[in-house]
């Protein structure tokens, strides 16, 4: 086994989970009395407006219900209940792209969220259960909007600002959104960029459910105001800063978040109120060991689940100070992130391996120019981290002092599932280690038999957990099939993550990556089916296959094999296909490699053999038998193109 890094004994004394013994004691409790285990935390952590009558209802599997009949409100959990002791504590510390800083206390957050909630009610008649789409930059108003929706029981669906008009329109329509909240623009690398024109394009036709667009004027851009548009900055001034919160049921949806799967269009992952917020809060306290006075920085965008759980809901539910950052950590220079850590005395820094690789490349010794002694815990998320990047992060950023939590989880899991505990788990580089107590993560075969140690199997969660996905918005059947259709244990369908994994020494779990047709570019999930569907719609393209191929900085990159129609006259196929991807999905879907090939390797039944395409893209020798292909000569022809 590679070297283990043991927790610091002094720091462990004050930690929320202090030792591996304490970890195993919790695991034991969960395994002897699962419901009692969760009840204990739900009772301690949540401010219930009405107690629940049952911890877990399994009568309609896999539509599990947690904390049945309980009543609560997430904005109360994140704001109001802290006002007694923490009204002057900074809740959100915002730093803009141009270095502008805002420190928003819990008292101020309360006022801003209440005003926003009143605005939604009074001006747009938004009610409990209505869907509101957010297409927002990383500004405090984005967090206010999310919490305001939670306060009045509206279901938000945040769409990442890098998605195109087409992708935004699909999401507005699928959710049946009544309102879109956006901004005129924001700043990135010192330059303004616009968001509102994308909303205009998305909503110029269709979007039947949409009644209005609310625009935050961040940049004061001279924009094209449409009939449906409303100015946030003017309307907010008239709103009262008092607003009662809606009493929500444990199982009322808190938000939708669209994510890619291996088939079809993106899925609206639906999260619940009680189970989600409980786990968001608990994992903040456990995985990051959040303590009084800590300043927590997660660099994600609020358009992803990481931004939902670990910029907004988790840190605020736990009463912490959360840093929100507009821009990129490499602007104005490679020291930006380290300077922010020094200036704001950040205690936890949570980012993606891609960002670590880029920061490393830009300055091996850059972090040592700054005082990073405030750091206590480092984290990574979203994709596998390679040992090389891990080592640099550990030595240069963490000063060989800070534990690194490699957190494995997904949009669907709501919060962390497999991760070291910073002051309890001996850390193995680039390994997610052990499931959190109460989480039954297992590596199994499709029939439920445990995969032998050291071999790759299917990563499944074999018991329901509070923050799990409840359904795919509007498509219960797809939910069942996508997550509970592949693996069984003891004859019962269990949640399959789509990832492969391996159990090694000490029962540590190493994630080996997706086993389905989903690729992971810089920690962003993209379904090859979705990319192929966009390209295949083009009149010049006869056939297309998309695969992921290893990339030094991004982890994986998009590789497109395209067969053009006989009469197609495309001068630059690279440009042509990237235009399609940018238009239909967004700039995050840009392909690095695009090759025009005479055909694709297919079985006689017409199935594209992606495995062959992956091997060819990597320039590796093909060991697979190709005699069963419909046209075995196609392999040589593709090789010639790739030369
Ligand atoms: O393949 C796994 C990878 O990211 C996928 C989930 O993507 P998404 O829903 O967009 O959520 C990303 C942020 C939680 C997983 O199925 N993944 C996530 N964390 C890790 C990871 N792969 C390896 N190591 C991780 N720590």
């Amino acid at each position: 086994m590679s070297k283990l890094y043991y927790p610091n004994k002094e720091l462990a004394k004050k930690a929320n989970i202090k030792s591996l013994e304490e970890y195993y004691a919790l695991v034991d409790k969960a395994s002897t009395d699962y419901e009692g285990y969760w009840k204990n935390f739900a009772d301690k952590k949540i401010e219930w407006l009405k107690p629940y009558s049952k911890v877990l209802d399994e009568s309609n599997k896999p539509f599990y219900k947690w904390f049945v009949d309980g009543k609560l409100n997430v904005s109360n959990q994140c704001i109001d209940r802290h006002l007694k002791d923490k009204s002057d504590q900074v809740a959100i510390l915002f730093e803009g792209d141009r270095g502008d800083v805002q420190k928003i206390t819990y008292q101020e957050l309360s006022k801003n969220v209440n005003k926003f909630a009143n605005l939604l009610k009074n001006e747009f008649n938004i009610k409990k259960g209505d869907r509101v789409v957010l297409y927002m930059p990383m500004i405090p108003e984005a967090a206010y909007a999310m919490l305001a929706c939670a306060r009045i029981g509206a279901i938000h669906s945040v769409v990442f600002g890098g998605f195109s008009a087409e992708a935004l329109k699909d999401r507005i329509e699928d959710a049946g959104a009544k309102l879109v909240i956006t901004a005129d623009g924001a700043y990135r690398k010192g330059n303004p960029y616009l968001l509102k024109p994308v909303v205009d394009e998305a909503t110029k036709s269709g979007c039947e459910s949409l009644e209005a667009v609310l625009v935050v004027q961040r940049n004061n851009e001279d924009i094209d105001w449409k009939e449906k548009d409303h100015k946030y900055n003017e309307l907010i001034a008239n709103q009262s800063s008092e607003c009662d919160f809606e009493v929500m049921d444990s199982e009322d949806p808190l938000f939708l978040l669209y994510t890619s799967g291996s088939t079809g269009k993106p899925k609206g992952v639906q999260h619940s109120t009680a189970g989600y917020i409980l786990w968001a809060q608990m994992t903040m306290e456990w995985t990051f060991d959040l303590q009084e006075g800590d300043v927590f920085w997660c660099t994600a965008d609020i358009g992803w689940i990481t931004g939902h759980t670990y910029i907004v809901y988790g840190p605020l539910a736990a009463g912490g100070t959360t840093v929100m950052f507009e821009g990129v950590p490499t602007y104005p220079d490679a020291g930006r992130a380290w300077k922010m850590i020094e200036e704001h005395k950040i205690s936890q820094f949570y980012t993606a391996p891609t960002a670590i690789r880029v920061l490393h490349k830009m300055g091996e010794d850059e972090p040592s120019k700054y005082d990073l002694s405030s750091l206590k815990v480092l984290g990574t998320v979203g994709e596998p981290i390679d040992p090389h990047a891990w080592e640099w992060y550990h030595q240069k950023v963490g000063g060989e002092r800070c534990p690194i939590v490699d957190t494995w989880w997904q949009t669907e899991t709501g919060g962390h599932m497999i991760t070291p505990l910073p002051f309890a788990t001996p850390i193995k580089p680039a390994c997610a280690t052990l499931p959190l107590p109460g989480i039954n993560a297992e590596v199994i075969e499709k029939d439920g038999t445990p995969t032998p140690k050291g071999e790759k199997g299917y990563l499944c969660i074999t018991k329901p957990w509070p923050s799990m996905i409840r359904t795919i918005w509007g498509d219960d059947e797809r939910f069942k099939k996508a997550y509970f259709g592949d693996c069984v244990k003891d004859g019962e369908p269990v949640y399959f993550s789509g990832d492969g994994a391996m159990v090694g020494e000490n029962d540590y779990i190493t994630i080996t990556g997706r086993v389905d047709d989903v690729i992971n570019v810089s920690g962003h999930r993209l379904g090859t089916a979705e990319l192929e569907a966009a390209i295949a719609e083009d009149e010049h393209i006869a056939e297309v296959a998309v695969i992921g191929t290893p990339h030094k900085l991004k982890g994986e990159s998009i590789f497109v094999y395209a067969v053009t129609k006989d009469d197609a006259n495309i001068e630059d196929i690279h440009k042509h296909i990237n235009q399609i991807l940018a238009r239909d999905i967004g700039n995050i879907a840009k392909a690095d490699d695009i090759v025009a090939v005479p055909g694709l390797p297919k079985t006689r039944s017409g199935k594209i053999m992606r495995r062959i395409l992956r091997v060819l893209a990597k320039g590796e020798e093909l060991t697979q038998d190709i005699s069963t292909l419909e046209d075995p000569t196609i392999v040589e022809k593709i090789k010639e193109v790739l030369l």
Side-chain angles (χ1 to χ4, degrees), residues 113 193 228 344 489 551 560 585 597 622:
V113 169
Y193 69 90
K228 276 187 180 165
H344 303 306
K489 193 186 164 195
H551 186 279
V560 180
I585 297 166
V597 288
L622 200 63

Side-chain angles (χ1 to χ4, degrees), residues 306 381-384 406-411 499 514 520 525:
T306 311
V381 58
E383 45 174 332
D406 180 348
T407 59
W408 177 85
W409 60 296
Q410 310 178 291
T411 305
D499 278 329
R514 301 289 305 195
N520 192 329
R525 224 166 114 170

